[in-house]
Amino acid sequence: MSGEPDALAVVNQLRDLAADPLNRRAIVEDQGCLSGLILFFDHPSPQVVYSALLAVRYLAECRSNREKMKDELGMMLSLQNVMQKGTSPGETKLLASEIYEILQNSSSAEAEQAEAAASCRKKGQFFMGSTNKRAKTVVLQIDGLDDSARRSLCEEALLKIKGVISFTFQMAVKRCVVRIRSDLKAEALGTAIASTKFMKAQQVVKGEDGSEIAIPFQEDSDVVVEQNINLPDYLPEDESPSQEQHKAVTRLGSMQDGVSWLSTAANFLSRSFYW
């Protein structure tokens, strides 16, 4: 696809870059990308806003990034605006709230230690970011999660579920960490993954002795998966800059391609906004 990328293409590519832990420091240290993501929080398209928030959520997983992100001009205020905006979808508000709480607590080492201790005490499932009582985290072991094409199928399936806030893939171990509303059943995730016809999910939980246990979802589960109609689908693969696998920037060790795309995104942002 020729020509300059549009806002959706740029924010989706930044989201995909941020999904790779190897890229997160570079994005935050870049002069234009982090501030550009903040400006996307006020974009008229709900999809652009959600994708920008998801990118920032990925960046916040790197603890060394959090203090800089918190101090970035407009970050905390823009997150508050998304949380308070009446037209923001519920999942968007929850995601903004989660990011706000993570960054707000970034300077407190004691808070991080308490959060980690609380996570270890949970029995039956993993809870990450325990400060947000309206959300919970489910870890999925996905049989068949073998490549980027299968990952895209998972993304599409999860994004259609009303109540999914965010998710992170760990391709090396075929896992997906999904942040969901507290009232959404984990079985809905298993149903969505099974609907791809190529993959099957199990929920990873901790046993009494601290060891991991993979629990299969019932194949004949009657859990109703409520479709998410507030957010449009992500950019189709035939329009996405990440379609060409030999140029993919989200695979491990892809920093050279990632830095190149960061430069493109930063140039686009600098031309599109007044700072």
Side-chain angles (χ1 to χ4, degrees), residues 144-156 171 196 198-199 237 242-243 245:
L145 185 61
D146 301 323
D147 51 35
S148 59
R150 296 288 179 88
R151 169 176 166 164
S152 295
L153 288 176
C154 282
E155 289 179 347
E156 292 174 4
M171 296 297 290
T196 65
F198 297 103
M199 289 166 286
E237 287 298 319
S242 61
Q243 180 191 14
Q245 295 183 13

Side-chain angles (χ1 to χ4, degrees), residues 201-254:
Q202 297 177 301
Q203 183 179 2
V204 180
V205 301
K206 276 194 174 181
E208 294 290 338
D209 59 354
S211 61
E212 292 186 354
I213 303 173
I215 302 177
F217 293 109
Q218 295 182 1
E219 295 186 6
D220 58 348
S221 174
D222 58 354
V223 174
V224 177
V225 179
E226 187 176 358
Q227 296 293 305
N228 191 349
I229 60 175
N230 291 319
L231 293 174
D233 292 337
Y234 274 163
L235 189 67
E237 287 298 319
D238 58 350
E239 298 181 18
S240 173
S242 61
Q243 180 191 14
E244 300 178 56
Q245 295 183 13
H246 67 286
K247 296 182 179 179
V249 293
T250 56
R251 66 178 185 273
L252 294 179
S254 59

